[in-house]
Amino acid sequence: KGLIMTMSLKDLLDKSQFSELYESAALLKLISKRPNVGYDAEELRNILLENSTVDEIREFLTRTNNERFQQRLKYLKNHFGEDAFSKETFEGTARDFSVLLPLPKAKSNEDDDGKIPVHESPTELIRTKSKLERQIRTEWKEGSVLQVYSTSGDGWYKGKIARIWTRKSNGAVAVNVEYERDGKTYSKEMEISSGEIRPIMETESKEMKMLPPLNKRAVSVLYQPKLPIAKPTAKLPTKKEQKSIITKLLKKSSKIKPGDTRCIVSSTWFGAFMSHLDNKNAEELPVGPIDNSELYLDGSLEELKKGIKEDRDYKVICEEAYGILLSWYGGNPIIKRSAREVGVLRRHIALDLYPVVVTILRANAKGEPVQGSEKKMNFSRNYHLADIRRACGKKKVVKIELKDLEFEIGNQLDAKDALGHWFPCTIKDKCEAGGKTYIRVGWDDEQYCDEKYDEEIFLYEKHRFARVGTKSSTSEAKVAYKVKQKVWARLRYAKKRTDNSYIPEWTQGVIDLVKPTKRLARVVFIKEKTKYWYHMDSEEISNSKKKPTGGYVDGQEQPQQNKDPIEKIITPEESVRIWLPRQGSATEKNKKLWTLAKRELDGKTLGQLRILSGTKLLVEDIQLDGTWLIKEKPRNWRDFEVGDEVDALDTANKWYTSEVLDVKTLKDGAMQIFIHYIGFSSKWDEWLDAQGDRLARVGTKAKSKRKGGGDENTLGAPVARGAVGLNNLGNTCYMNSIIQCMSNCSDLTEYFLDQTYVQDINPTGTAQGRIADAYAATLDAMWNNKYKVITPVALRNVVGNVKKEFAGYRQQDSQELLSLLLDTLGSDLNRVTPSTKKEIKEKKEEEKKRKREPTVEEKFKEWWNREHERHNSVVSDLFAGVEKQTTTCMNCGDAYVRFNRLEVLSLMIPQKSSWFGNSTVQLSHCLDAYAKEEIVEGVNCTACKGKRRKIKGVQLYKPPKILVIHLKRFRMGWIGGEKIGQYINFPLTGLKLGNCSIDNKATYDLIGVSNHYGSTKGGHYTAFTKNAMNGNWYKCDDTHVRQVKQASVATRAAYVLFYKLRN
């Protein structure tokens, strides 16, 4: 439907993925089905014809051989009726195509050159151009002035018709148009009805200066634009007055603080506007209305394109400036964005270009959205789920009715944990063991809501239960216990508890260990020779000098509690519950569309939760009696959802904690889940019967997650923020070395830590976004300042899935891993998807028609635009450089230039004979060797026709922002190869590329080194990294990280160098 609404027949014919369908005339049949598209055949025909020119319709109908012609005609008659098409349809002139539309009576206006069908009906569809424009085109002749869309695709230019003739092949009128660009003359050939030429009309003169996006096909100036255009409302001042007003407002726009609102405007339009003010040429065409169409995704009126950058793509101005420009020139509606403080490594203020726009729906008692409750709210992608709770809730006072405790699944109450501290909790299960009844509770406190903190409490321990809100609300931190402090504590485990007749006694002890962050203290009972941990806020520990009194006497039940309602103040965050869209279920009976967001998700960002723009969230408000509106029944543990954890029995008959990755229903109604054994390679992932014996409730069968499964990070303060050790997972020092270097590429790390990467995830990428997620999680653990050592097992597993060589435990090459990471991340985060990717065609015929050969810069721009339409990611933004290869014939001097993209610059180490009389090899020597010209023999020359000697030269035409240099130390030979251990002297600051690059101003500073010690048969990798926050150098050797002096960074072990472009 989207294609039909926005594309013409010719556009569809030119798309390779549709050409076969059209050749068989099956597409019309396919898209005419109402269930798939929502249009009937007549409506589809009208839409197709409305977006197509007459010549395009003829091409569509006749672009085939006679046999296929008849087949196509048969299809068209079947769908559109016998009378809709006639022989004249295909043999007549362009004006005969009016028979395609069996519309009501149409009037005809007589013109000098014949009849032009004109329909008064608003449903007129054969309308390639307006009557006025058609008349102008028929009057064109040699020398006529018009506008032409340039071959290079950078906009409209003024040109004139150099030749006009009628083609013998199809009888169409064709023109050859000449135009000037950058002081040079170009020519372009097309049919007179083409949308890439247009008349210069006084009524539309304001639009003539507009430059359309590079990746859009030029359309007639008289076509309706996609974006609404407002008309000017104020008298246009003089250029001098305009410049004075806008200059003052631009200064105002530059002063920005968090929370301020700014507008963005297309750099193309704003640049044309500023040039217009500086140009004193009176004949210059006026600036057109504000056109921001190139900033939006194709077909969208709200979502901005990915990867747009300030100055290059848009200009930031204040709202007042935009309003004034809109009043002067008219144009597209205002684009407003809020400023916020961003960055983890370097805090700065920037506009939030891509806010997460979610739709908030209020819930009724049935768990369904209340009609008319939709409300759109904007959040930053690095906001947490708790922020949505606060934004959607409000402070309330509720009256909680105190009832007798009921130990039923799903009920809420206060309970005392094993350390003696009161927390609100929810009963998850009720079981029997040894003739005694116990309940399993999950703590509702945000810090302890994970399932691993769940406890099982026997019902006879009644002193550990209280009505919800009566105990947990008074559990405030009061005492900070210290080591060697004498205390009184209840010796809870000194006697086996079999019923409620036993009450723990107060016994004196000494604290020997404390954990202040967790508020835990360990008490040593000297007489009993035992040690137990207590929560500092517990009722079972006291710093009283005298023996405390209180507690229950033997055989006494828990004291009767006051049943009068109590008032409790509820914070905005506590006043709502968030329900997320349900991702899957293994129970066909359960048709719920929403699943309750657990409190442990409050600390997750919207990016991590994949809450993107367009997501709908169901919000449930707490009632005045303190209960929730939706009475949710406890979910059966076999009612699986994506993301659930479950114990699973593998094929080796061992139980492991696993994660549910997918859920499906078979034809026979049976349910299956696709599980991943946490900590293992995904090659062991498998489908299991949801009701089978190989599954058990999480925590009941598996002793623990596999070692190294992601929970092996070592808590503690790192040497410095980001200077974190990495566990070796079995000869993975090569991976640790590269991760450490990449982690200190600040622009890349900020991109992941700020959750910007989430909006760029490409589901059709090599790893479907998995490697981007794993790398983001690794960086988050390295920079959150919580761990001194982490285990990058998730990243290692995903990399092993992409390339099996990295899945085992053999030593690998760090440079090869780096290339794989850059390639896969670039694919996973490619902003160009199949739905938006254009088919790139070489314009060889048009190049031949040029009166002169394009310059190297023109060739590069054309090549780079095509490359950008294929690969557009953060990797290409930062790491991609462009290599220019020039091959020159030594006989005729003909030169051939080609460009290559590179992300790693591999340099040969010069032989001893070329060390310039010095035993030390400089990095500049390696760069010179890379750029040194060489003579190649027997190469065909297309200019002088024969095998010739040619000179081949290489240069960096576009240096990258992050220059990765690979020193080729390994040479393979028949006996296993050798390693070049020569010391390479490389600068730590101020690296100049010299003859290696055409950019003599590019200056680089070292930020990381991957070192290799050993030989080709084995060795060890380490890294030197310049911390992206404090600028100090650190040596990273797996789990060991220590600060070092800058002078110790350059060693003969240097293998891969990471340089960052200065400024």
Side-chain angles (χ1 to χ4, degrees):
K1 175 181 174 181
L3 288 171
I4 297 167
M5 291 298 293
T6 60
M7 304 178 75
S8 70
L9 292 171
K10 186 176 186 302
D11 288 327
L12 287 172
L13 282 167
D14 289 341
K15 300 294 180 181
S16 59
Q17 61 264 44
F18 295 111
S19 61
E20 185 62 28
L21 286 171
Y22 262 99
E23 287 295 345
S24 64
L27 184 59
L28 281 178
K29 181 177 180 181
L30 175 67
I31 62 180
S32 296
K33 296 180 180 178
R34 181 179 291 274
N36 292 340
V37 182
Y39 287 119
D40 60 23
E42 183 176 357
E43 290 172 319
L44 282 173
R45 175 191 62 188
N46 293 345
I47 292 170
L48 285 169
L49 298 182
E50 183 180 33
N51 289 294
S52 304
T53 66
V54 171
D55 290 334
E56 288 169 354
I57 298 171
R58 176 190 283 128
E59 181 183 4
F60 164 66
L61 294 173
T62 60
R63 188 172 148 184
T64 184
N65 55 38
N66 291 334
E67 182 179 351
R68 302 294 285 281
F69 174 89
Q70 295 299 329
Q71 183 185 25
R72 174 170 295 164
L73 183 59
K74 180 179 179 182
Y75 270 109
L76 294 172
K77 286 183 177 180
N78 287 341
H79 284 283
F80 301 147
E82 289 286 340
D83 298 332
F85 301 91
S86 65
K87 186 177 180 181
E88 289 75 15
T89 300
F90 308 100
E91 296 177 351
T93 63
R95 296 181 179 86
D96 293 325
F97 275 78
S98 60
V99 299
L100 279 171
L101 289 173
L103 295 174
K105 294 181 179 179
K107 296 181 180 180
S108 296
N109 291 351
E110 189 73 17
D111 282 341
D112 294 340
D113 56 347
K115 294 182 179 180
I116 301 177
V118 179
H119 295 281
E120 291 182 344
S121 169
T123 59
E124 174 192 0
L125 298 176
I126 289 293
R127 181 175 51 84
T128 63
K129 308 291 183 290
S130 70
K131 175 187 174 183
L132 179 58
E133 186 173 343
R134 286 199 304 268
Q135 183 177 349
I136 292 175
R137 287 176 183 253
T138 58
E139 295 173 352
W140 275 344
K141 57 186 178 181
E142 291 185 6
S144 294
V145 179
L146 45 72
Q147 283 219 332
V148 57
Y149 192 66
S150 68
T151 303
S152 60
D154 65 343
W156 292 95
Y157 289 86
K158 189 175 180 180
K160 66 178 181 179
I161 298 177
R163 179 177 171 232
I164 186 168
W165 73 98
T166 302
R167 287 176 173 168
K168 295 181 179 180
S169 58
N170 57 6
V173 178
V175 293
N176 185 284
V177 180
E178 292 183 349
Y179 63 97
E180 290 189 0
R181 180 168 66 89
D182 300 331
K184 299 164 187 175
T185 302
Y186 297 87
S187 65
K188 187 171 183 178
E189 180 182 309
M190 68 214 81
E191 292 187 5
I192 200 169
S193 60
S194 171
E196 299 195 6
I197 52 176
R198 63 190 187 187
I200 298 178
M201 304 172 64
E202 292 181 2
T203 55
E204 304 293 337
S205 59
K206 287 190 177 182
E207 296 191 19
M208 293 303 173
K209 193 65 179 178
M210 301 309 302
L211 299 180
L214 299 183
N215 63 341
K216 281 193 175 181
R217 175 176 179 265
V219 296
S220 170
V221 71
L222 300 181
Y223 279 7
Q224 286 294 328
K226 292 182 180 179
L227 292 170
I229 295 181
K231 294 182 179 180
T233 58
K235 183 180 179 180
L236 191 64
T238 65
K239 289 184 179 182
K240 185 177 180 180
E241 292 172 337
Q242 293 181 56
K243 189 171 184 178
S244 174
I245 294 171
I246 294 301
T247 301
K248 291 179 181 178
L249 291 176
L250 286 179
K251 291 181 180 179
K252 179 180 178 181
S253 303
S254 62
K255 299 177 182 179
I256 188 170
K257 59 182 183 295
D260 287 352
T261 299
R262 289 292 183 269
C263 305
I264 65 173
V265 62
S266 164
S267 290
T268 302
W269 185 89
F270 195 80
F273 164 71
M274 296 302 292
S275 298
H276 170 69
L277 298 185
D278 295 332
N279 195 338
K280 298 180 180 180
N281 184 4
E283 297 181 359
E284 182 193 15
L285 290 172
V287 177
I290 299 174
D291 183 7
N292 290 324
S293 58
E294 63 182 3
L295 299 179
Y296 288 98
L297 281 176
D298 292 343
S300 172
L301 300 181
E302 297 181 355
E303 192 173 357
L304 298 179
K305 284 182 179 177
K306 299 176 182 177
I308 59 175
K309 298 184 182 300
E310 187 174 356
D311 294 331
R312 187 193 73 182
D313 301 301
Y314 65 88
K315 184 75 176 177
V316 178
I317 61 177
C318 64
E319 194 169 351
E320 182 182 357
Y322 198 102
I324 290 176
L325 290 174
L326 199 63
S327 68
W328 290 345
Y329 294 97
N332 297 153
I334 194 169
I335 304 176
K336 293 193 293 186
R337 291 294 186 266
S338 297
R340 64 183 178 91
E341 194 174 13
V342 299
V344 177
L345 309 182
R346 297 185 310 275
R347 302 295 288 175
H348 62 282
I349 300 171
L351 292 185
D352 189 4
L353 291 181
Y354 307 97
V356 179
V357 183
V358 298
T359 302
I360 301 298
L361 306 170
R362 293 289 171 175
N364 60 21
K366 296 181 180 180
E368 300 171 347
V370 176
Q371 189 173 3
S373 65
E374 297 88 350
K375 180 182 179 182
K376 289 188 176 182
M377 301 183 71
N378 291 3
F379 299 95
S380 176
R381 58 184 171 273
N382 58 0
Y383 275 31
H384 296 82
L385 190 62
D387 295 318
I388 297 185
R389 291 184 192 274
R390 282 188 284 270
C392 296
K394 59 183 179 180
K395 187 176 179 180
K396 290 183 179 179
V397 177
V398 297
K399 291 186 177 181
I400 302 176
E401 184 180 350
L402 301 180
K403 300 179 181 178
D404 292 332
L405 293 178
E406 296 180 357
F407 298 97
E408 300 298 333
I409 296 176
N411 285 1
Q412 290 181 308
L413 67 157
D414 285 355
K416 188 187 295 185
D417 71 356
L419 301 177
H421 190 45
W422 287 97
F423 288 105
C425 65
T426 301
I427 299 176
K428 290 188 174 182
D429 203 356
K430 192 174 183 180
C431 307
E432 296 284 338
K436 304 292 183 180
T437 302
Y438 69 88
I439 59 173
R440 184 167 66 91
V441 299
W443 307 107
D444 295 337
D445 185 88
E446 183 176 338
Q447 188 176 0
Y448 301 103
C449 55
D450 193 280
E451 287 186 347
K452 65 182 180 182
Y453 295 112
D454 289 359
E455 281 193 44
E456 295 173 351
I457 307 175
F458 284 95
L459 287 184
Y460 58 71
E461 301 178 86
K462 293 184 179 180
H463 61 282
R464 294 185 64 183
F465 302 110
R467 297 184 185 93
V468 65
T470 59
K471 289 289 186 179
S472 59
S473 59
T474 61
S475 299
E476 299 177 356
K478 297 178 181 178
V479 182
Y481 293 97
K482 301 179 181 179
V483 176
K484 296 183 180 181
Q485 182 179 354
K486 289 185 179 181
V487 295
W488 291 92
R490 289 187 184 275
L491 191 60
R492 289 171 290 145
Y493 302 110
K495 183 177 179 180
K496 185 178 180 181
R497 294 172 293 173
T498 57
D499 54 37
N500 198 41
S501 62
Y502 170 72
I503 301 297
E505 293 290 336
W506 286 101
T507 306
Q508 197 167 32
V510 179
I511 295 176
D512 73 329
L513 192 61
V514 296
K515 294 182 179 180
T517 56
K518 293 189 175 182
R519 294 198 53 75
L520 298 178
R522 189 172 68 179
V523 179
V524 179
F525 296 96
I526 302 174
K527 184 177 179 180
E528 290 77 8
K529 298 180 179 180
T530 56
K531 300 178 182 180
Y532 293 111
W533 284 97
Y534 291 85
H535 199 287
M536 293 184 186
D537 303 329
S538 168
E539 293 181 345
E540 298 185 357
I541 185 172
S542 172
N543 61 352
S544 173
K545 293 183 179 180
K546 295 183 179 180
K547 183 177 181 178
T549 59
Y552 310 121
V553 298
D554 291 354
Q556 184 180 3
E557 293 291 334
Q558 187 174 359
Q560 192 72 20
Q561 300 186 42
N562 183 12
K563 293 188 177 182
D564 294 334
I566 61 171
E567 288 189 352
K568 185 177 181 181
I569 299 176
I570 301 296
T571 65
E573 184 179 349
E574 297 171 328
S575 68
V576 295
R577 295 197 300 187
I578 303 293
W579 295 74
L580 303 174
R582 194 177 180 90
Q583 298 186 44
S585 173
T587 306
E588 186 66 23
K589 296 179 181 179
N590 194 336
K591 296 292 186 180
K592 291 193 306 180
L593 300 176
W594 309 91
T595 182
L596 183 63
K598 300 177 182 178
R599 290 302 297 267
E600 57 259 37
L601 297 181
D602 279 4
K604 297 282 188 180
T605 65
L606 303 190
Q608 291 169 335
L609 294 172
R610 290 294 187 274
I611 297 178
L612 307 176
S613 288
T615 302
K616 294 182 178 180
L617 301 177
L618 190 66
V619 176
E620 175 192 8
D621 295 289
I622 196 170
Q623 298 185 93
L624 293 179
D625 61 357
T627 63
W628 293 104
L629 190 63
I630 301 174
K631 308 301 181 184
E632 187 190 24
K633 295 181 180 179
R635 179 163 65 98
N636 188 302
W637 69 272
R638 287 188 184 270
D639 182 15
F640 294 110
E641 295 180 1
V642 174
D644 284 350
E645 288 190 354
V646 62
D647 287 353
L649 185 66
D650 70 357
T651 53
N653 209 33
K654 292 184 178 180
W655 289 92
Y656 293 101
T657 303
S658 306
E659 181 184 3
V660 178
L661 300 180
D662 198 4
V663 180
K664 71 178 181 181
T665 305
L666 303 180
K667 292 182 179 180
D668 59 0
M671 304 294 167
Q672 286 190 343
I673 61 173
F674 190 60
I675 65 162
H676 167 67
Y677 295 97
I678 297 176
F680 288 88
S681 170
S682 61
K683 69 179 182 180
W684 303 110
D685 296 354
E686 60 177 324
W687 287 97
L688 295 179
D689 181 8
Q691 305 299 323
D693 296 334
R694 291 180 60 187
L695 299 175
R697 189 196 302 271
V698 63
T700 59
K701 293 290 185 180
K703 294 183 179 180
S704 64
K705 297 178 183 178
R706 185 194 181 201
K707 187 177 181 180
D711 290 333
E712 302 303 313
N713 297 342
T714 305
L715 286 168
V719 177
R721 189 167 185 180
V724 174
L726 301 176
N727 277 318
N728 192 315
L729 304 175
N731 279 330
T732 58
C733 55
Y734 67 93
M735 180 180 73
N736 293 346
S737 173
I738 291 300
I739 291 175
Q740 294 285 12
C741 292
M742 290 182 63
S743 170
N744 287 282
C745 296
S746 57
D747 292 335
L748 182 68
T749 298
E750 286 281 20
Y751 171 82
F752 281 97
L753 294 182
D754 198 35
Q755 301 296 309
T756 305
Y757 84 98
V758 175
Q759 68 194 16
D760 289 341
I761 285 182
N762 190 331
T764 64
T766 304
Q768 294 82 47
R770 293 193 303 272
I771 204 163
D773 283 333
Y775 185 69
T778 302
L779 288 180
D780 181 68
M782 293 180 70
W783 288 94
N784 63 16
N785 225 24
K786 294 180 180 179
Y787 307 107
K788 56 184 178 181
V789 178
I790 70 163
T791 305
V793 65
L795 180 60
R796 186 273 184 106
N797 289 341
V798 178
V799 169
N801 294 334
V802 174
K803 193 171 184 179
K804 62 181 181 180
E805 287 83 349
F806 295 104
Y809 297 95
R810 298 183 61 183
Q811 182 68 275
Q812 301 294 337
D813 190 302
S814 67
Q815 180 268 328
E816 291 182 2
L817 174 72
L818 173 64
S819 297
L820 177 71
L821 277 175
L822 294 179
D823 182 64
T824 313
L825 284 173
S827 175
D828 270 13
L829 300 170
N830 192 1
R831 303 177 185 112
V832 183
T833 61
S835 61
T836 60
K837 188 178 293 185
K838 294 171 50 181
E839 180 185 1
I840 310 302
K841 293 184 176 182
E842 301 291 342
K843 300 181 179 179
K844 295 182 179 179
E845 293 184 3
E846 293 184 1
E847 289 177 359
K848 290 180 181 179
K849 296 175 183 177
R850 291 174 178 165
K851 291 189 175 181
R852 59 161 186 79
E853 184 71 14
T855 65
V856 173
E857 180 64 20
E858 290 171 342
K859 286 183 177 179
F860 167 72
K861 286 183 178 180
E862 186 176 341
W863 176 87
W864 182 249
N865 287 337
R866 292 199 304 267
E867 183 69 16
H868 197 65
E869 289 171 345
R870 296 186 183 98
H871 308 287
N872 179 10
S873 70
V874 67
V875 174
S876 58
D877 292 343
L878 299 177
F879 291 87
V882 179
E883 178 186 73
K884 184 189 76 169
Q885 294 183 359
T886 305
T887 307
T888 306
C889 178
M890 299 180 67
N891 182 55
C892 67
D894 180 68
Y896 173 74
V897 177
R898 62 173 297 180
F899 299 97
N900 294 318
R901 166 194 170 108
L902 57 82
E903 291 164 352
V904 177
L905 179 62
S906 295
L907 299 180
M908 297 289 293
I909 299 176
Q911 300 297 315
K912 290 184 178 181
S913 59
S914 60
W915 286 357
F916 306 95
N918 191 333
S919 59
T920 301
V921 178
Q922 304 291 333
L923 182 62
S924 60
H925 298 163
C926 302
L927 292 169
D928 290 340
Y930 163 80
K932 185 178 179 180
E933 293 182 341
E934 61 176 321
I935 297 177
V936 290
E937 303 282 349
V939 181
N940 285 325
C941 179
T942 56
C944 57
K945 310 298 181 184
K947 292 186 179 296
R948 305 291 187 227
R949 298 177 72 196
K950 290 194 174 186
I951 300 175
K952 183 178 180 181
V954 180
Q955 268 189 319
L956 277 179
Y957 197 81
K958 178 184 176 296
K961 294 180 180 178
I962 298 177
L963 175 64
V964 180
I965 296 178
H966 165 223
L967 299 174
K968 301 177 74 171
R969 291 192 177 275
F970 299 102
R971 288 194 302 218
M972 296 297 105
W974 66 276
I975 58 173
E978 63 175 339
K979 177 184 176 182
I980 303 174
Q982 176 64 35
Y983 172 72
I984 309 295
N985 187 18
F986 52 88
L988 274 63
T989 59
L991 171 67
K992 296 281 188 178
L993 300 180
N995 296 330
C996 178
S997 172
I998 66 168
D999 187 354
N1000 296 324
K1001 296 181 180 180
T1003 306
Y1004 289 88
D1005 298 318
L1006 190 71
I1007 58 173
V1009 183
S1010 174
N1011 303 304
H1012 179 267
Y1013 299 89
S1015 65
T1016 56
K1017 297 180 180 179
H1020 180 62
Y1021 287 91
T1022 66
F1024 287 115
T1025 60
K1026 186 177 183 180
N1027 189 274
M1029 287 196 74
N1030 61 29
N1032 296 327
W1033 282 95
Y1034 294 87
K1035 181 179 181 180
C1036 307
D1037 186 355
D1038 288 340
T1039 58
H1040 304 289
V1041 178
R1042 62 183 177 88
Q1043 187 176 344
V1044 296
K1045 294 181 179 180
Q1046 179 174 300
S1048 63
V1049 171
T1051 69
R1052 63 175 58 247
Y1055 181 46
V1056 182
L1057 310 176
F1058 289 75
Y1059 281 95
K1060 182 178 181 180
L1061 187 65
R1062 187 176 292 179
N1063 299 328

